[in-house]
Amino acid sequence: MLVAGQGPVEENAQNLGFKHVVTIEALRKAYPLLDMVDQSRRPKQMPPPTTGFPTIEGVILFGEPVRWETSLQLIIDVLLSNGNPGAELQDVPYPHLPVLACNMDLLWMAEAKMPRFGHGTFLLCLETIYKKVTGQDLKYEALIGKPSTVTYRYAEYLIKQQAEKQGWKSPIRRLYAVGDNPMSDVYGANLYNNYLKSAHQNQVQAGVKRSLCAASPQTEDHLELRKDCNNSVESCESILVCTGVYRHNAEGPSSMKECTTETVFHGHRDFCFDPSLVEASYIVQDVNDAVQLAFKKENWS
C-alpha cells in the first residue's frame, strides 16, 4: 500500500492492519525520475534501473502532504500504471487500484484570519487531475472520517467502551457532536442522526416481523437484523462552535436549528448537498459553552 500524508503514516497504516507499506518518499527515492517539478531535486545524472521495488496494490490518503506536486504526480503515476510507476504508459487501467481516503475537510481554521486548505482540497486536486488525464472519475474504495457515518459509529463504540470502564450502567441515549465546520462536523452528526433514526425504525419493524413469523424459517434472519440494529442511542445532536471556519454574526444565546446560511457546498464530491444537514441543532461560542449546554440538556448542571 502506498501511503500519503504527514507524520508516522507508515506506522499508522501498519497499526490498521496493512502489512506491506511504502511511503511517497520511498517511492520517490526508488524512482527519482518521477519527481521533476523541483529542479533542485532532479537527479544530476541518469540513475540506474530500479529493481526489487514491490508492485503497489492500493493507495491510502491519510491527510494533506507537504509537497503537493510530488504526491499528486506520484499517486497519478501509480494509478495510471496499475502499481508499476516505472513502466511506460500503456492502456490506462479502469477501474483503477483501490484508493482509501480520510479527512475530507476542504478548509480548516488556524491562526490566520482566513481558512487554510485542508485534505479535502488535496483530494479535489487529485480527482480533477485524474479526470482531466483519463476522462474517468476517480473512485474511492472508502471515504473515512467526518462526515462519513462509519466514523460516528466508531466514536459511539468508543464512548460505550469508556462508559463500561467507568461502571456506567444506564444506557446511552443521546450523543453530542461538537465541531466548528458545518460542512463536515455538523453534516456528519446530522447524517448519523438520520442513520440512528433509520436503524431504530428497522429494529421496530424487525421486532414486529419476528413476532409474526416466530415459527417461520426466516426467524433467524429477523433476529440477526435486530442484533445489527439493536442500539440504545436514539439521537446525535450537532453543536456548532464559532471558533473555526464558521463565524456567527448575531449576538445572543444558543439557538436551536438555526441555519448556518451556507450557500456553497464545501463538502466532498461524493456527498450530496442537503441544506438540512448543515443546520446545527445548537450554535454556541466555543467548546466550553458546548460542554455546558450538553450538561444542561442532560440535567447535570
Side-chain angles (χ1 to χ4, degrees), residues 98-111:
V99 178
L100 299 93
C102 60
N103 190 2
M104 292 163 279
D105 286 9
L106 185 77
L107 304 169
W108 65 288
M109 203 67 193
E111 288 75 20

Side-chain angles (χ1 to χ4, degrees), residues 72 76 79 106 120-140 268-269:
L72 288 169
I76 292 292
L79 297 179
L106 185 77
T121 307
F122 178 82
L123 297 179
L124 179 62
C125 293
L126 182 66
E127 294 156 8
T128 303
I129 294 170
Y130 186 85
K131 175 80 171 183
K132 194 71 174 179
V133 170
T134 67
Q136 304 277 5
D137 288 328
L138 181 72
K139 302 289 186 180
Y140 293 95
H268 188 267
R269 173 202 72 184

Side-chain angles (χ1 to χ4, degrees), residues 42-116:
R42 293 182 182 179
K44 300 298 186 287
Q45 56 188 10
M46 185 62 68
T50 301
T51 58
F53 197 83
T55 298
I56 293 170
E57 299 175 342
V59 181
I60 306 174
L61 307 174
F62 278 122
E64 60 268 27
V66 175
R67 289 179 172 266
W68 284 32
E69 78 284 355
T70 297
S71 292
L72 288 169
Q73 177 71 76
L74 270 60
I75 293 169
I76 292 292
D77 288 338
V78 166
L79 297 179
L80 295 182
S81 65
N82 208 31
N84 297 283
E88 294 185 9
L89 182 62
Q90 304 291 334
D91 294 335
V92 176
Y94 198 81
H96 53 68
L97 295 174
V99 178
L100 299 93
C102 60
N103 190 2
M104 292 163 279
D105 286 9
L106 185 77
L107 304 169
W108 65 288
M109 203 67 193
E111 288 75 20
K113 300 298 183 182
M114 290 194 294
R116 303 293 86 196

